[in-house]
Amino acid sequence: MMDESKTLKEISYGDLGNRVHADGSGVAERRVPTDGMLELTRLCSLKCTHCYIGDARWKKDPRELSTDQLKALMDALAERGTLWLTFTGGEALLRKDFKELWLYAKQKGFALVLFSNATLIDDKMAGFLELHPPQCLEISIYGATRETYERVTLIPGSFDRFMRGIENVRKRGLPWVLKAPVIKELAGEIPQITALASEWGVRLVLDGEINASIGEGQSGGKAPCASRLSEERLVDFALEDKNLLIEIKGMARERATAAMAPKTDEPLFSCGAGSNMFYVNSRGDLQMCVLTHHRSENLYADRTVADGFDATWAKFGDFRKIKMRADSPCIACDLTGICKSCPGFAHLENGDEHSAVEWLCRSTHLKALKTGLPHRCDIKHFVYTPPKKP
Ligand code: SF4
Ligand code: SF4
């Protein structure tokens, strides 16, 4: 329940969700699909080395949803209580009908977020977004210098287009956030990227947790994992986050007085996926989140999109009742609070939702060691063993 002593400014979106129903139950209990992402296309203007999309970035997909299909989907979402809607890609701005879809979503009253690499934000597009502003524009940066940026994006000339995009965003005063993947190719430039963010007066979000690809082809599968930092470097970056250090100190204090009870009956999905969050890919598959295509259904298969949504959403409710398998290394782990592993990440990595992602598992233990956080988990969890076939 929401802390009544908080001022409006301090109330988080999650808190607000808990206010939705008069009886005190929140969106999570009711499973209202408040928070969704629409992947408008997998096509992209860049070819980033660490990208999770796969080869679909450079091949037009004949199954990509049409304008009318996307509008029907937005109708269904609005009726089902979706508040936040993120347009993503690939590069969403590559869709020729982007403006039409955006205006339609605005008309439906969604709070809109746009993920973009900014290379297609010319003066006209920035002007359009100024007139019909997003709640937030989340822009990815792949280097502070041309050399690094284009070593990641593999597209000559893309750095200049990116910088022009940023200039247009700033000129129009759009609400935005800058995001940088902390990968091998650009980790050395994080200080310069941080300096750029402060020069531009924008919040910078760093993310080093690179998952395996959700797509097919030469750049699919485990290809993006080659860009991952070593566990040492990843943890060093993570521990620069003051909030994480405060959180770990708090956990250590609690553990000094009482050890965490071993867990035996844990739900597999403990995040918001399929509870209030969802993802629809560019072919119309409704997923619990971007990483869980193995638990998806197509919304347009022999039914209306509204019926498809309701039927699939009901199945997600069942998926959320699944318990962690008894042989999962994560079930008894007392480091889950600082670990970025999750069933979707693990499925992409090992083909098994109940497994541990070795790279993340090692990083988490290292984080605990470096900060002196007492924990039970031992080294045997570092090595992933696939489950025996029945
Ligand atoms: S990481 Fe983003 S910008 Fe880069 S190729 Fe993939 S979808 Fe495009
Ligand atoms: S540290 Fe390892 S065992 Fe613990 S939750 Fe993370 S992946 Fe699972």
Side-chain angles (χ1 to χ4, degrees), residues 249-307:
K249 265 192 193 153
M251 288 167 90
R253 258 197 314 273
E254 277 169 29
R255 286 175 194 196
T257 49
M260 241 181 97
K263 299 171 291 179
T264 50
D265 194 24
E266 286 296 295
L268 178 62
F269 295 97
S270 52
C271 60
S275 170
N276 68 308
M277 287 156 62
F278 63 90
Y279 187 90
V280 182
N281 77 9
S282 55
R283 293 172 180 170
D285 300 328
L286 175 61
Q287 309 178 188
M288 295 174 75
C289 73
V290 60
L291 304 180
T292 46
H293 187 254
H294 61 291
R295 290 195 178 273
S296 70
E297 268 189 23
N298 194 275
L299 292 174
Y300 301 83
D302 304 325
R303 52 190 175 183
T304 66
V305 65
D307 287 347

Side-chain angles (χ1 to χ4, degrees), residues 362-382:
R362 283 180 185 279
S363 309
T364 304
H365 282 77
L366 201 55
K367 234 182 265 174
L369 285 175
K370 286 197 172 196
T371 55
L373 178 66
H375 57 284
R376 269 192 311 270
C377 254
D378 62 28
I379 197 121
K380 72 178 185 296
H381 291 150
F382 287 166

